[in-house]
Amino acid sequence: MPLLEILKYPDERLKQISNEVVVFDDVLRSFITDLEEAMRAGPGGVGIAAPQVARFERIVIVDVSGKPKIKHNGCMILVNPEITEWEGYKIGREGCMSVPDYTGNVMRAEKIKLEALDEHGIKREFECEGYEARAVQHEIDHLDGLLFLDRLVSRKKDLFRRKVYKK
Amino acid sequence: MSNWFMLNLIGNDQSGIVAQVTNALYKGGCHLGETSMMRLGGNFTMMMMTSLDGTETDLEKIVKPVAEKLELHVHIDSIEGRLHQHVEPNVRVTVFGADRAGIVAQVTGVLSESGMNILDLESDVGGTEDKPIYIMYMEGLAEDGIEALRTALEALRTEGIDVDVEEIETLIG
Ligand SMILES: [Zn+2]
């Protein structure tokens, strides 16, 4: 199977809202394998969402375990993910495989809890923080047709807001 | 054949500068690349990568009417375009303290010696007229690692300068 092609902004399809997955079969699992391959082939390669490869279903993969010194849940396959709790805010820099050669600062919740189904339709719960929580929020945004460009904050805001939230 | 120029315009801040200047450029057939436009004190400064199928003289002719009308100083340099070659910063340094002569030179000197290549710097003066404070925000590439910067900057704290060094771990997802 050739590598899945990544849609690039301004492709209108990236703004589409993806549908819930209802059938958990080998077709789905085979797609998830291909999706993971596309993620690993990309620069950074810590997360991907199905709509980035033109499949408009609520499926994301996040794996930040390759980054040193951070908390993580290993490779997370998240089908129909729902964030159930948010805590704290932090600015961080993001880029996207669908937006080459541009990065910017984005505000995200620092800690989240989420529920999702795995590739067999079994319910899973995760707690994420920091870089991993950021990756999950970035990918779930793709399912709702949002890019990090929709959430850019200026550097000056960063300077002042950060102090407010610092503990 | 399209050529790149760095077009600099500076003058008193007044409403509508950006719209009027960019409209004149657009009508003259120019394209903009990366730009920086901001108010510094009561002045408005514009630095624009501008491409044009023409010469420096052609660009001057396009800019002249609007620059004269708004009383802006114009400076044009021929440059290489080099778009799509962003260098990703890996460190963010914020510095603030009581304003005094030499603070920028001192801080950037320390940063340069400890391997930081500054990609972007913005500084501002806040506080009151009798007690001004200086705030500097930088993004850069720490070539010898973040710890080298932290250690080097530690010495500045004893001189009443607050320094915050934070790693930038860009997420590509
Ligand atoms: Zn993305």
Side-chain angles (χ1 to χ4, degrees):
Chain A
M1 162 95 201
L3 211 52
L4 294 167
E5 197 190 328
I6 306 277
L7 299 185
K8 306 267 162 59
Y9 183 80
D11 194 313
E12 281 293 317
R13 289 174 291 174
L14 289 165
K15 294 187 177 164
Q16 196 165 322
I17 294 175
S18 292
N19 299 314
E20 299 261 311
V21 173
V22 286
V23 180
F24 293 79
D25 57 5
D26 286 343
V27 176
L28 174 73
R29 286 182 284 275
S30 154
F31 167 70
I32 288 173
T33 306
D34 296 339
L35 186 64
E36 185 175 346
E37 196 183 328
M39 173 182 87
R40 306 231 181 259
V46 296
I48 195 166
Q52 287 182 281
V53 297
R55 179 149 167 158
F56 302 96
E57 289 191 288
R58 303 188 77 83
I59 306 163
V60 312
I61 305 176
V62 169
D63 184 358
V64 301
S65 62
K67 298 275 171 185
K69 297 182 290 187
I70 56 168
K71 283 196 182 175
H72 63 80
N73 288 290
C75 183
M76 293 189 285
I77 290 164
L78 308 171
V79 180
N80 303 342
E82 270 325 318
I83 298 177
T84 55
E85 279 181 46
W86 292 260
E87 195 189 318
Y89 288 96
K90 193 157 168 47
I91 300 266
R93 204 176 186 89
E94 297 183 21
C96 181
M97 286 190 280
S98 299
V99 186
D101 196 50
Y102 183 78
T103 63
N105 290 325
V106 179
M107 176 110 68
R108 301 283 188 191
E110 200 160 9
K111 285 186 185 177
I112 53 170
K113 286 186 184 170
L114 68 143
E115 292 177 2
L117 303 174
D118 70 9
E119 67 272 38
H120 302 284
I122 296 164
K123 190 173 158 185
R124 305 282 304 269
E125 289 179 354
F126 298 95
E127 288 184 23
C128 307
E129 61 177 75
Y131 192 78
E132 186 179 60
R134 174 170 297 278
V136 168
Q137 292 168 82
H138 177 114
E139 300 312 337
I140 290 179
D141 264 357
H142 279 299
L143 304 181
D144 294 319
L146 292 171
L147 297 172
F148 78 98
L149 299 175
D150 293 301
R151 298 193 187 272
L152 286 178
V153 295
S154 82
R155 291 169 298 156
K156 284 191 170 172
K157 276 184 197 154
D158 175 16
L159 190 65
F160 295 107
R161 282 197 191 165
R162 199 162 42 134
K163 277 294 176 200
V164 175
Y165 290 108
K166 215 167 189 176
K167 283 171 195 123
Chain B
M1 132 117 203
S2 183
N3 299 305
W4 281 101
F5 302 94
M6 190 61 80
L7 170 62
N8 293 275
L9 295 155
I10 300 169
N12 284 333
D13 191 18
Q14 51 203 300
S15 131
I17 290 189
V18 175
Q20 292 183 59
V21 169
T22 54
N23 188 49
L25 292 172
Y26 169 65
K27 286 193 171 146
C30 301
H31 289 275
L32 295 181
E34 296 174 24
T35 73
S36 163
M37 311 189 201
M38 63 179 77
R39 186 183 154 100
L40 298 177
N43 313 285
F44 198 77
T45 68
M46 306 173 80
M47 246 183 282
M48 294 175 279
M49 286 178 66
T50 308
S51 88
L52 173 69
D53 188 0
T55 64
E56 198 170 314
T57 317
D58 296 330
L59 181 55
E60 266 169 24
K61 276 187 203 143
I62 293 165
V63 175
K64 206 176 170 207
V66 69
E68 276 179 359
K69 181 180 164 218
L70 298 169
E71 298 183 328
L72 305 172
H73 292 281
V74 180
H75 184 86
I76 299 170
D77 286 302
S78 179
I79 56 164
E80 281 179 47
R82 298 207 188 112
L83 284 177
H84 311 291
Q85 294 181 31
H86 283 116
V87 176
E88 269 308 306
N90 65 2
V91 67
R92 159 170 39 224
V93 180
T94 44
V95 175
F96 45 99
D99 189 21
R100 58 171 169 75
I103 185 168
V104 178
Q106 192 179 5
V107 172
T108 55
V110 168
L111 290 172
S112 165
E113 276 167 30
S114 46
M116 175 160 162
N117 176 11
I118 297 171
L119 299 170
D120 197 345
L121 182 152
E122 258 181 48
S123 70
D124 213 333
V125 182
T128 56
E129 266 185 48
D130 56 328
K131 285 191 176 165
I133 56 168
Y134 205 84
I135 304 122
M136 225 190 307
Y137 175 98
M138 285 163 275
E139 291 182 352
L141 201 57
E143 278 152 0
D144 305 331
I146 311 284
E147 279 317 306
L149 291 187
R150 285 215 171 93
T151 312
L153 289 168
E154 206 49 48
L156 294 175
R157 284 185 203 276
T158 57
E159 301 186 30
I161 300 175
D162 284 295
V163 182
D164 189 14
V165 180
E166 204 180 347
E167 184 170 7
I168 302 177
E169 175 89 76
T170 303
L171 178 128
I172 310 286

